[in-house]
Amino acid sequence: MNRGVSSLTASAVRLSVLDRSRTREGYDGPAALRDTVDLARQAEALGYHRFWVSEHHGVPGVAGSAPTVLAAAVAAATTSIRVGTGGVMLPNHQPLVVAEQFGVLESLFPGRVDMGLGRSVGFTDGIRRALGRDKQDAEDFEARLEELLGWFTGERAAHPHVHARPSEGLRVPPFLLATGEGAGIAARAGLALVIGDLRGRERLLRAVEGYRRDFRPSVWAEQPYVVVAGTVAVAGSEEEARRLLMPEAWSMAYSRTHGTFPPLLPPERVEALEMTAKERGLYESGLSGHVAGTEEQVAEALGAAVEESGADEVLVTTSTYDRAALLDSLRRLARVAGLSSHELTGATA
């Protein structure tokens, strides 16, 4: 075993997966949701620690609009992997309703549910209006977070005669998805931190340092816990790993020039596209800086990122068109990290 592989294996860092339920050309939203549930089964068989789903509203390229509903389907289809959200966007919802949803999940799947929370509001003005929210709703996130956690502990200040059922008294581990200021909120609340992405290393390291420095122990966590999130693509060659990145890189470039996310395209379709200079620049930027390559290259790069950040866990957020290639990437990463795996049923190599 080479030095890169051994460095990642020796770190004993937990590895987890976030799937955004991205739609693909030729496959509709329901197919994307079924793909997510299937990938969760495979991630469990490979030995990954958690499997999370995301929240997006009115985005053409993303089918996952109801993360707690999808998390329930994932939990029902698996037996041991932790299941959660990456994350529920708290400004979009009433804290009581979020507490109730996670209370139900924890009651149905005790000891397996994570409550990942984010600060974002709807993607566009129209979506925000449809949700009954606006950009300012993100500004009182800290107060919303305090209220949400209070529904579980029974210590909420507002609505003293109301109780969240069956949530009150349960302990669903909260995680805060954050960058910059959000890391400070996680530290003050004594919550685990999920931070990305791996490409913005200096910014990530500054935020993690501040989080650890300012962390206040709480009933939720006695010490800091850092999850670094980002795209990780592992293949038999650098070129194959690059092809894994192409669909999402183009989707991001398109969204920044047209204002909407398209379904993911196959790499060969992306390669054949005629791009404007601006699109080409955004696309090439979207391909760069990720942890991608062969098993040896990824082990070296990811091992270095874990060592620099002191991360307790890595959350792999890779999206691509070819689901078989995505599964192969996760399988290769699991092998690099020495995860305990079981025979995959119905898997495509």
Side-chain angles (χ1 to χ4, degrees):
M1 184 176 288
N2 65 47
R3 185 173 63 85
V5 173
S6 63
S7 66
L8 182 58
T9 304
S11 69
V13 67
R14 288 170 166 168
L15 290 180
S16 299
V17 177
L18 166 70
D19 192 66
R20 294 192 177 92
S21 304
R22 295 286 272 113
T23 60
R24 301 177 290 154
E25 185 178 62
Y27 300 87
D28 60 11
L33 296 173
R34 292 191 293 269
D35 284 343
T36 292
V37 175
D38 184 60
L39 188 64
R41 295 191 191 99
Q42 310 295 5
E44 178 176 71
L46 287 169
Y48 283 85
H49 184 61
R50 307 179 203 276
F51 190 93
W52 282 4
V53 297
S54 62
E55 174 183 334
H56 297 274
H57 298 283
V59 180
V62 185
S65 57
T68 53
V69 176
L70 185 52
V74 168
T78 55
T79 58
S80 59
I81 194 169
R82 295 196 64 86
V83 175
T85 55
V88 165
M89 297 300 134
L90 191 52
N92 290 336
H93 310 282
Q94 290 295 337
L96 171 61
V97 175
V98 175
E100 290 172 336
Q101 290 173 347
F102 279 97
V104 169
L105 281 172
E106 175 63 19
S107 298
L108 292 173
F109 308 101
R112 292 180 57 206
V113 175
D114 301 320
M115 184 169 59
L117 306 165
R119 302 174 65 224
S120 297
V121 289
F123 185 57
T124 65
D125 288 339
I127 292 171
R128 287 190 289 271
R129 285 194 296 271
L131 290 170
R133 297 290 185 264
D134 58 40
K135 291 182 178 180
Q136 285 66 44
D137 283 301
E139 296 177 2
D140 66 346
F141 175 80
E142 204 160 359
R144 287 174 176 268
L145 177 64
E146 183 179 3
E147 180 185 342
L148 170 62
L149 299 179
W151 288 116
F152 288 93
T153 63
E155 298 173 348
R156 72 253 166 263
H159 318 294
H161 301 296
V162 180
H163 298 269
R165 307 293 187 200
S167 313
E168 190 171 310
L170 298 180
R171 286 293 183 267
V172 181
F175 294 74
L176 188 60
L177 282 63
T179 57
E181 177 188 350
I185 296 175
R188 290 190 293 274
L191 304 184
L193 173 70
V194 182
I195 188 163
D197 65 28
L198 288 166
R199 293 194 297 173
R201 192 67 54 81
E202 290 187 10
R203 182 181 180 186
L204 182 150
L205 294 178
R206 286 197 302 272
V208 168
E209 180 182 8
Y211 164 73
R212 288 201 175 98
R213 181 191 62 234
D214 299 333
F215 182 85
R216 301 174 185 172
S218 71
V219 298
W220 304 104
E222 295 181 357
Q223 57 190 12
Y225 190 89
V226 175
V227 182
V228 295
T231 295
V232 180
V234 197
S237 68
E238 288 185 67
E239 178 56 31
E240 290 175 41
R242 177 181 170 87
R243 290 177 68 81
L244 276 169
L245 302 175
M246 288 178 179
E248 184 71 6
W250 167 245
S251 182
M252 293 295 293
Y254 188 94
S255 73
R256 294 184 64 182
T257 51
H258 294 78
T260 184
F261 284 92
L264 297 176
L265 300 178
E268 57 272 19
R269 288 264 287 116
V270 175
E271 290 175 312
L273 291 172
E274 292 186 8
M275 303 183 192
T276 66
K278 182 176 182 180
E279 288 171 340
R280 176 65 64 179
L282 290 169
Y283 169 67
E284 293 295 339
S285 175
L287 289 172
S288 66
H290 299 291
V291 176
T294 64
E295 293 180 30
E296 292 77 11
Q297 290 169 325
V298 166
E300 190 71 31
L302 194 56
V306 169
E307 183 176 356
E308 290 173 10
S309 64
D312 301 285
E313 187 170 337
V314 173
L315 182 66
V316 178
T317 64
T318 311
S319 297
T320 193
Y321 178 87
D322 188 336
R323 300 293 287 193
L326 175 60
L327 177 57
D328 182 62
S329 176
L330 292 176
R331 181 187 291 109
R332 289 174 180 272
L333 181 59
R335 182 164 60 230
V336 164
L339 299 185
S340 298
S341 62
H342 307 285
E343 187 68 25
L344 294 178
T345 56
T348 303

